Structures are given as structure tokens and as C-alpha cells.
Amino acid sequence: MAIAPPRIQPVSAHLHSSASPKDSDHQEKKQVCYTVWMKSLVFNGRGCTVYGQDGRAAYRVDNYACRRSREVFVMDSGGKTLLKLLKKNFGVFKTWQGYSCCNNNNGDAAATMEDQPWFRVQKEYKILKKEGRYNVRAVVEVALSGEVYRIIDGASHKSEYRIVGAGGEVLAEIRRKQTDAGVVLGDDVLTLTVGPTADRLLVVGLVVVCGLLDRCI
């Protein structure tokens, strides 16, 4: 039985115009923090839920009982599809492609399948991973702008990582959530901090892909 989430508008804002398929001139640029719960809102389902600073669901992924799905949808709290993620295998390389559904007024994700992917995420393997004292978990290519981001593992825990730009600037960071009393919660409760220049929906899509690569979703 599904748990009915509150109906709110998605808090996504396309803040980086070169990376987003939508015009972002009128979006307010500020840092935003989310709480990521690596659980589905559907009982016995697989997925994750992203909560805004107001404590209400902003994004969700529900794969129901399906594990290791090759097709995943990122929705707002009301169930409207915002992103479609497709798994592509090119030899030994695992790649996820993200398709934006925001421009489709009918909310039909299938209409975007033949469009150009918004972004591609390719998992990096250990033989290729070392970059200084950090490990590169995956490489992200934003198709519309040609920008390349890297997802870099944190130094302390495998569930922590950063999304960095080509110049090394940190666009977003995810860490295990810590209470006001200083108690660090489990691996499935995380804090996602998105910088003012990053595209929020893109970052959420990358967090979902990381969960899929780590087989958490």
C-alpha cells in the first residue's frame, strides 16, 4: 500500500543555464540543503525520497519491488515525472543516461525517450580511479553544454561524496546526516547540500544514479 505524499510543487530550480534544458534566468540562486532517505514511500518498495528544508517530500523514486531496474523515474511529490534514467551497457562500462521530462506538458515520460540525453554518467573503475588523494567514482557529461563533472568519493565513508566541476569547484556534497546533538545517523539518511550555481534537479538525478551504482535503490 502506498503512502500518500503531500502534494507540493517541486523545489527544483535550474540555476546553471548552460547545464539545464530550461531557462533559469528568473530562478533565485542560493545554497539549499535536502535530507535524502534511501527508502521508498511505497511499502516494501525500492527507491529513495528527498525532503526539502521544510520537511516535506520534494522528489521521490519508487521502483516498487523491482531491483536493479534499467529504467528509473525521478518524480516530484505528486508523482509527476521530472527525469527518466536509462541504463546503457557499452562493453564493460556501465552508463546511465538522464532525460529531462520538464518540457513535456502532458507529463508523459515516453515522449522524451528519443530525445538527446540531458546528461550521461559513466562509472569509473579502480584501474582508472585515482586522482590525487581522492577516488573518482563516476564521470558526468552534460550533453547540451559539453561540461564534464566528476563524482569524487569522500575521505571518511563510502556513502559520502562530492560533485565537482571541471575546475575543481564543489557543486554539491552529500554526507551522512547529523542531528543537532551530534549523533551521526545511518548510511540510508544523508544530507545533500547543493551550491548556488548548481542545477538542483541535475544534482538529484546524479544522487539517484549513485544510489543505483551502489545498488542502494
Side-chain angles (χ1 to χ4, degrees), residues 85-155:
L85 303 173
L86 293 177
K87 184 179 181 181
K88 303 286 186 178
N89 287 337
F90 300 100
V92 298
F93 296 99
K94 296 180 180 179
T95 301
W96 283 88
Q97 296 182 346
Y99 296 80
S100 172
C101 303
C102 295
N103 292 330
N104 185 1
N105 294 330
N106 295 325
D108 183 7
T112 66
M113 283 188 62
E114 302 302 326
D115 293 344
Q116 181 183 15
W118 178 13
F119 60 87
R120 298 180 181 89
V121 182
Q122 181 173 299
K123 182 177 180 180
E124 290 285 272
Y125 289 86
K126 290 183 179 180
I127 193 171
L128 305 172
K129 271 179 89 172
K130 291 293 183 182
E131 183 177 281
R133 62 188 183 90
Y134 295 105
N135 287 335
V136 178
R137 179 179 301 195
V139 175
V140 182
E141 178 187 357
V142 182
L144 296 183
S145 65
E147 292 177 293
V148 176
Y149 303 149
R150 285 176 170 79
I151 301 174
I152 297 178
D153 287 337

Side-chain angles (χ1 to χ4, degrees), residues 29-86:
K29 296 184 177 182
K30 61 181 180 179
Q31 179 174 291
V32 176
C33 291
Y34 298 100
T35 296
V36 181
W37 186 40
M38 302 303 289
K39 299 289 184 182
S40 170
L41 288 176
V42 178
F43 181 69
N44 281 339
R46 299 187 63 86
C48 67
T49 309
V50 180
Y51 295 90
Q53 292 174 294
D54 58 359
R56 306 175 77 182
Y59 305 95
R60 61 189 180 97
V61 173
D62 296 312
N63 287 343
Y64 304 98
C66 182
R67 187 174 184 177
R68 301 184 187 179
S69 175
R70 303 180 65 88
E71 182 179 82
V72 176
F73 297 97
V74 179
M75 300 171 284
D76 66 10
S77 63
K80 178 182 177 181
T81 300
L82 304 176
L83 277 178
K84 180 173 184 171
L85 303 173
L86 293 177

Side-chain angles (χ1 to χ4, degrees), residues 177-212:
K177 190 172 183 65
Q178 189 172 7
T179 67
D180 293 337
V183 178
V184 179
L185 302 181
D187 293 344
D188 59 349
V189 185
L190 309 169
T191 295
L192 170 63
T193 304
V194 183
T197 62
D199 185 298
R200 299 177 194 174
L201 182 55
L202 173 61
V203 169
V204 170
L206 297 182
V207 169
V208 174
V209 171
C210 284
L212 292 164

